[in-house]
Amino acid sequence: MRRWWRAGRSVLLEYEDATLSVTHLTDAIARVRATPADFLPRRPWSATPPDDAFPPVEVAVEATGDGVTVRSGGGLAVHAAATGARVAVLHRGQTIMMDGDGGGPAWHADGRATWTHRMPPDENYLGFGERTGLLDKRGQRLACWCTDRYEYQGAGVDPLYQAIPFYLAVDAAGRSHGVYLHNTYRSVFDLTAQREQRLVMAVDGGELDWYVMAGPTPAEVVTRFTHLTGRMPLPPRWALGYQQARWGYDSAERIRAVAADLRRHDIPADVLYLDIDHQDGLRTFTWDPEAFPDPAGLAADLAADGFKLAAVVDVGVSHQPEGGYDVFDEGHRKGYFLTEGDGLLLRHVWPGLCAFPDFASPAVRQWWGRWYASLLDRGVRGVVNDMNEPAMHDLPMDHPDSARVEPPLDTPHDLDADHAEVHNVYALLENAATDAALRDLRPDERVLRLSRAGGTGIQRYAAVWTGDNGSYWEHLEMSLPQLMNLGLSGVAFAGADIGGFFGDCGPELLARWFQLGCCYPLARNHCARGRAAQEPWVWGAETLDACRAAVRLRYRLLPYLYTLLADAAETGSPVLRPLLYHYPADRRGRQLADQALLGRDLLIAPVLRPGVTARAVYLPAGRWYDTRTGAVHDGGRHVLVDAAIGDGLPLFARGGGVVPSGPVGRYADELPLNPLTLDVYPDRDGEAEGELYEDDGASMAHTRGVRARTRYSYRDGVLTARPVGLLDAPARLVVVRVHHPTGPELTRLIDGGKSWTVRA
Ligand code: GLC
């Protein structure tokens, strides 16, 4: 190190061949950058705010013989070594990460740059956005590059649709930290050098730029990561309802029939999807005049029965040079599509040759957003941004040799960028356009938004589904760690296609998928065209009963789930959590990917293999209640429980929790939350607590304070309700059920107002 100096809120350190920059953004988040030349200016698609957007942080700089330490009053210190631009990060006096010998930044002849951290042998690595495989990613090489993975298979397939270069590291003692690689070029996390104990982050372009977030708990890391990269706006409450989709619902009659079947079979449901089948010639933002002659009428009729319609939007715009398709005409005339040489970049998607909007341009985003009116004006209340990696083929999609391709990396974008830089934010920018447009078109309505591709911070704009999975038991199993890692990566509201998209789902797999899928944050059954139907009623009474029971359980728990969504919107906390989220020091629970916590107070242990009628469940320390049987278990050990299909999902409640639930309607908002049921599960000390969030579920009034939060606490046999939000909960009946480990549960019916206490 030759010298160091302060530059604004950063400390710059000059080495022989590089400059290092250390910036404290909060007392627990620091940014570290290195460059062999000049630092690059901030891009508008950066997932993080400019450094100056954070309130100032006091730092002290201490120079000694072995380097320079930049320390905040809150105890986050970044130490830069005297040689080699290597860093170590300390939190409250303890080293949480370090580059180690031979580590640090490096620039290579092939144009790539790497940053090497030490990878201690007893540390686990989670997050990384959307991945196949199990929870911990030690030993793997993970690329960040949004990829259309049509009919993807199981473990080892990488990357998928989302590019989120973030990980959560948890050490042997359960102390956690997070690292976010702030670079939109293709990047790779290489965790294969286990023997050498090295974790390498590689980027194909741009700058070596990363943020470190201290914990020590996983929850604190996730909160800090989402403080940095954004949280989701609260979706409509009905978005938690059951959602039925299928590629191949190709007429208004089909949709009406599905709606009628759902009601006839008494399956609560809220959302029906219009896939590309609703489009005229598979062209985005059009309606097939024959199959869907009166979309507004369809939407209105369905709305009267409690259904909301969501419609798919593809980014490929059908190339129609002869005219007649306004989206292409206008985009072409204004020069809004990506180019190749002197012409348009044209590749094949569903309608044939397509052009692709350049979402890096603010003008294009504004223009694109306006087309969503063609859906909303006809009563559509949810949108699905699909094929936005962007997905494209070299030959017509139905040609036997058709292969997936990508825009050439040197494809020019707005702001002098090329596709190598923009690819990983292409879908993000599309979703930003959608978000801005929906806020403008429907300022007081929460529209459901779903996206297949995305990048860091996608949760600010849309929920996510895990793309084209398959109807295999392996995919059922994989969906759980996949969604948990997405949740740790900031994407709390996500789901996998229930029943699997490709392949043919049989009755047992369908029933099991419903049991797990109804605990996904987003519960959508979706299936590919031409594959075996997988609506809950196609396999007869036994399967139907199992599916119905799963959906009804979800609807009963809507008050609890909606509170979790509100928490996610406020703090970034995931809905579906690995055990280590709350029990990071529990070595036995930390790798478990076949069970999960739904919020803090419920534990699910789904069956993920055929023919299984019992399963082992690991219960972390404390007391746990089997909600199906009332059996009470001491945690810190495994239990074996009955798990035949008819037994329902093995679902445990944490001793110490109060779980709110409500009546089951045909759709989420059919019935008021009256009576409210509070299941009190006392811990070993006889205490419990919980919360309930409420608002109108659909408008933006909650952002203006029209919302209620009630905190329940139970001790010495008395349950107390106290409003902690701006508004009080409405007056209603409350059923209090105290689950006593020794005797039968105790039920009280009380007239609940705002604050109350009851002896139960
Ligand atoms: C893509 C989507 C899938 C959709 C299909 C047809 O494969 O991932 O959900 O059904 O396109 O639009």
Side-chain angles (χ1 to χ4, degrees):
M1 189 191 304
R2 288 187 179 139
R3 60 188 185 118
W4 66 268
W5 67 99
R6 285 183 187 249
R9 61 188 298 157
S10 304
V11 173
L12 296 180
L13 308 110
E14 189 184 287
Y15 291 81
E16 208 166 300
D17 50 2
T19 309
L20 199 65
S21 159
V22 174
T23 314
H24 281 71
L25 300 170
T26 73
D27 270 342
I29 307 176
R31 179 178 184 186
V32 180
R33 305 163 75 182
T35 177
D38 291 329
F39 287 110
L40 299 173
R42 182 178 182 275
R43 285 299 210 173
W45 44 77
S46 166
T48 60
D51 295 352
D52 291 337
F54 293 86
V57 178
E58 283 296 315
V59 296
V61 184
E62 189 192 333
T64 60
D66 57 311
V68 169
T69 304
V70 188
R71 190 188 318 270
S72 77
L76 184 68
V78 180
H79 172 82
T83 53
R86 282 175 289 112
V87 301
V89 182
L90 293 87
H91 187 226
R92 296 176 191 154
Q94 287 193 326
T95 302
I96 56 173
M97 63 178 294
M98 61 192 292
D99 292 342
D101 291 342
W107 293 269
H108 306 276
D110 61 3
R112 288 181 335 134
T114 53
W115 199 306
T116 302
H117 300 307
R118 194 172 101 80
M119 183 169 77
D122 48 8
E123 207 153 87
N124 296 118
Y125 295 87
L126 296 90
F128 299 101
E130 182 188 45
R131 302 291 168 185
T132 57
L134 300 180
L135 271 180
D136 179 35
K137 301 305 180 192
R138 285 184 72 85
Q140 297 185 29
R141 261 183 116 251
L142 305 167
C144 296
W145 189 252
C146 298
T147 304
D148 169 24
R149 202 57 85 167
Y150 199 69
E151 200 158 12
Y152 64 90
Q153 298 299 320
V157 174
D158 189 81
L160 298 179
Y161 312 86
Q162 299 280 334
I164 307 179
F166 162 81
Y167 67 76
L168 166 76
V170 186
D171 76 10
R175 280 183 314 245
S176 315
H177 71 271
V179 171
Y180 166 52
L181 178 60
H182 182 235
N183 182 308
T184 66
Y185 288 82
R186 183 174 191 279
S187 59
V188 172
F189 288 84
D190 191 340
L191 290 80
T192 57
Q194 300 199 68
R195 225 183 292 271
E196 299 79 12
Q197 302 187 9
R198 279 208 296 263
L199 185 163
V200 184
M201 306 192 292
V203 294
D204 277 5
E207 200 170 276
L208 287 171
D209 178 0
W210 49 275
Y211 294 74
V212 56
M213 287 136 281
T217 65
E220 285 166 300
V221 173
V222 176
T223 298
R224 286 170 180 149
F225 178 51
T226 54
H227 174 58
L228 197 60
T229 57
R231 298 178 181 135
M232 69 167 182
L234 192 57
R237 188 171 181 273
W238 53 258
L240 282 171
Y242 173 69
Q243 316 191 0
Q244 182 66 50
R246 150 142 235 191
W247 178 15
Y249 288 160
D250 55 8
S251 68
E253 285 69 53
R254 278 293 286 281
I255 295 283
R256 286 177 195 274
V258 173
D261 278 336
L262 285 162
R263 294 292 179 247
R264 186 158 55 87
H265 293 295
D266 200 15
I267 310 278
D270 271 85
V271 188
L272 295 169
Y273 282 77
L274 304 175
D275 206 322
I276 48 174
D277 315 279
H278 78 279
Q279 299 164 345
D280 187 14
L282 306 178
R283 287 179 301 225
T284 291
F285 299 126
T286 65
W287 291 86
D288 184 323
E290 267 148 48
F292 291 86
D294 176 21
L298 173 68
D301 291 347
L302 292 173
D305 203 9
F307 288 105
K308 277 66 65 177
L309 276 180
V312 77
V313 172
D314 286 352
V315 295
V317 174
S318 180
H319 181 240
Q320 304 279 319
E322 66 286 355
Y325 174 37
D326 45 6
V327 186
F328 178 78
D329 286 347
E330 228 183 275
H332 190 34
R333 199 172 59 244
K334 294 180 185 242
Y336 283 172
F337 295 126
L338 295 178
T339 56
E340 182 168 44
D342 295 335
L344 295 178
L345 174 83
L346 297 174
R347 298 290 186 273
H348 289 271
V349 198
W350 306 122
L353 269 189
C354 286
F356 301 84
D358 178 10
F359 293 120
S361 151
V364 174
R365 292 203 293 275
Q366 234 202 346
W367 167 77
W368 183 255
R370 284 210 325 274
W371 292 102
Y372 286 79
S374 68
L375 301 171
L376 299 192
D377 289 351
R378 288 169 179 79
V380 165
R381 298 179 63 192
V383 297
V384 186
N385 285 339
D386 195 8
M387 306 294 275
N388 48 359
E389 295 72 28
M392 48 179 72
H393 279 228
D394 56 352
L395 294 172
M397 302 288 271
D398 53 5
H399 189 285
D401 299 326
S402 179
R404 185 179 68 78
V405 291
E406 290 171 347
L409 294 179
D410 60 0
T411 302
H413 282 268
D414 198 40
L415 303 178
D416 278 335
D418 60 15
H419 195 69
E421 181 181 6
V422 173
H423 182 84
N424 280 339
V425 289
Y426 186 80
L428 196 76
L429 291 167
E430 184 211 6
N431 280 287
T434 308
D435 176 63
L438 296 179
R439 284 171 192 272
D440 198 41
L441 292 165
R442 292 289 181 274
D444 201 36
E445 183 187 334
R446 296 182 232 166
V447 178
L448 170 64
R449 315 89 177 276
L450 201 53
S451 180
R452 190 172 74 173
T456 313
I458 182 68
Q459 66 274 6
R460 285 177 286 159
Y461 309 126
V464 158
W465 92 100
T466 58
D468 298 340
N469 64 353
S471 305
Y472 310 105
W473 289 93
E474 292 84 350
H475 278 237
L476 171 66
E477 176 186 36
M478 182 170 74
S479 68
L480 199 47
Q482 196 172 25
L483 293 171
M484 289 194 280
N485 273 327
L486 259 174
L488 295 174
S489 308
V491 187
F493 197 32
D497 285 347
I498 293 176
F501 180 69
F502 281 106
D504 300 306
C505 190
E508 188 182 1
L509 178 57
L510 188 65
R512 292 306 194 182
W513 215 315
F514 265 82
Q515 289 181 344
L516 172 55
C518 284
C519 296
Y520 292 160
L522 182 120
R524 181 178 83 143
N525 178 336
H526 185 43
C527 173
R529 194 184 180 89
R531 298 305 179 129
Q534 56 189 40
E535 290 87 3
W537 51 85
V538 299
W539 288 107
E542 209 184 316
T543 308
L544 175 62
D545 287 348
C547 296
R548 185 191 298 112
V551 179
R552 288 183 65 85
L553 173 65
R554 182 177 179 92
Y555 275 74
R556 208 166 65 229
L557 288 172
L558 279 181
Y560 178 74
L561 295 173
Y562 192 50
T563 303
L564 290 179
L565 275 196
D567 291 346
E570 284 166 33
T571 70
S573 54
V575 172
L576 209 51
R577 308 169 182 172
L579 262 53
L580 101 163
Y581 189 81
H582 288 292
Y583 306 90
D586 184 338
R587 305 279 290 175
R588 276 177 297 177
R590 103 163 11 179
Q591 296 268 14
L592 293 182
D594 64 347
Q595 54 182 81
L597 293 164
L598 187 56
R600 191 190 49 168
D601 293 331
L602 293 177
L603 185 152
I604 61 170
V607 168
L608 306 165
R609 285 288 179 266
V612 171
T613 55
R615 73 155 282 178
V617 184
Y618 179 70
L619 300 171
R623 171 172 283 167
W624 293 88
Y625 296 74
D626 187 329
T627 63
R628 305 168 306 166
T629 62
V632 182
H633 303 281
D634 280 326
R637 64 191 185 92
H638 285 83
V639 295
L640 187 67
V641 298
D642 288 337
I645 289 181
D647 294 325
L649 174 79
L651 175 70
F652 297 82
R654 185 181 69 91
V658 175
V659 177
S661 60
V664 177
R666 292 176 308 156
Y667 52 93
D669 294 321
E670 186 187 28
L671 305 174
L673 182 45
N674 192 3
L676 162 70
T677 299
L678 296 173
D679 280 288
V680 179
Y681 299 100
D683 63 14
R684 288 207 191 97
D685 299 325
E687 296 180 3
E689 55 181 39
E691 273 189 15
L692 173 65
Y693 171 87
E694 296 168 272
D695 62 21
D696 69 20
S699 82
M700 299 304 284
H702 66 292
T703 63
R704 302 184 290 272
V706 189
R707 55 181 195 265
R709 224 180 227 278
T710 312
R711 187 167 299 149
Y712 308 103
S713 48
Y714 179 79
R715 65 172 46 176
D716 301 327
V718 175
L719 180 67
T720 307
R722 210 173 288 120
V724 288
L726 295 173
L727 292 188
D728 299 336
R732 62 181 151 218
L733 288 182
V734 182
V735 177
V736 176
R737 280 201 303 238
V738 181
H739 298 261
H740 283 293
T742 43
E745 69 187 35
L746 218 98
T747 304
R748 288 266 184 286
L749 193 64
I750 57 168
D751 211 350
K754 35 186 175 174
S755 307
W756 46 261
T757 54
V758 63
R759 177 160 291 279

